[in-house]
Amino acid sequence: MRAGRLTLFAIALAAPALAAAGLNLDELAGVYKYQFDNGLVDGTKFRSEDVLEIVKLSPDKAYIRADLQFYNGHTCTISGIAHVEGDKLVYRAKDADMKGCVLTLSRKGKQIVFGDETGACKEVTCGVRGSYDGDGFDVASRRPIRYMKRLLASRQFADAQKEEQLAR
């Protein structure tokens, strides 16, 4: 009986590591960018850039920031601390204004894809034409973050850390 309890205790201790085993943050951490032609309803044309940053904080936790551009100047902008849950990186907003916002990032083939199943994240962080669900980046576009000092000193990173502390 005692050996059974020790085995259960060992499994319980290993659970966070097993949960993190589904997603390797070392393989995802970095900055992803995608440039494209965009425009305004008045016919003005311009170049836009979508950006996703993933900064590994621990084997099962990462800071994420996304800035996505859409037609007619609409955007989606979000940042926070996400946790590995199986094969996904999951950000659960703790801010009362963002109630119900659960944003996921998962690897699907050669893409990192956003999930916003309920649309709650879109509702509070996107313009009318913006959306996260199903949008994504080519994994091949990943680059090292060469501006890490500036990123770690940013208001968005500080706000994400404060939000994470409030959740405890």
Side-chain angles (χ1 to χ4, degrees), residues 4-5 8 24 32 36-38 42 49 90-91 98 129 132 134 139 155-156 159:
R5 281 192 208 144
L8 287 175
N24 184 343
Y32 300 79
F36 57 98
D37 293 326
N38 204 342
D42 69 4
E49 182 175 62
V90 180
Y91 168 66
M98 294 178 63
R129 289 185 170 93
Y132 296 105
V139 173
R155 178 187 51 79
Q156 292 91 345
D159 289 348

Side-chain angles (χ1 to χ4, degrees), residues 13-58:
L13 286 176
L18 292 173
L23 189 69
N24 184 343
L25 288 179
D26 291 321
E27 291 177 0
L28 294 182
V31 61
Y32 300 79
K33 295 182 179 183
Y34 174 69
Q35 294 184 349
F36 57 98
D37 293 326
N38 204 342
L40 300 176
V41 74
D42 69 4
T44 304
K45 303 289 183 201
F46 57 94
R47 200 87 173 127
S48 287
E49 182 175 62
D50 288 345
V51 177
L52 169 64
E53 296 166 337
I54 301 174
V55 178
K56 179 181 174 181
L57 302 175
S58 72

Side-chain angles (χ1 to χ4, degrees), residues 29-31 52-55 143-149 151:
V31 61
L52 169 64
E53 296 166 337
I54 301 174
V55 178
R143 300 289 179 262
I145 298 174
R146 301 194 190 286
Y147 49 92
M148 190 63 75
K149 187 175 180 179
L151 184 153

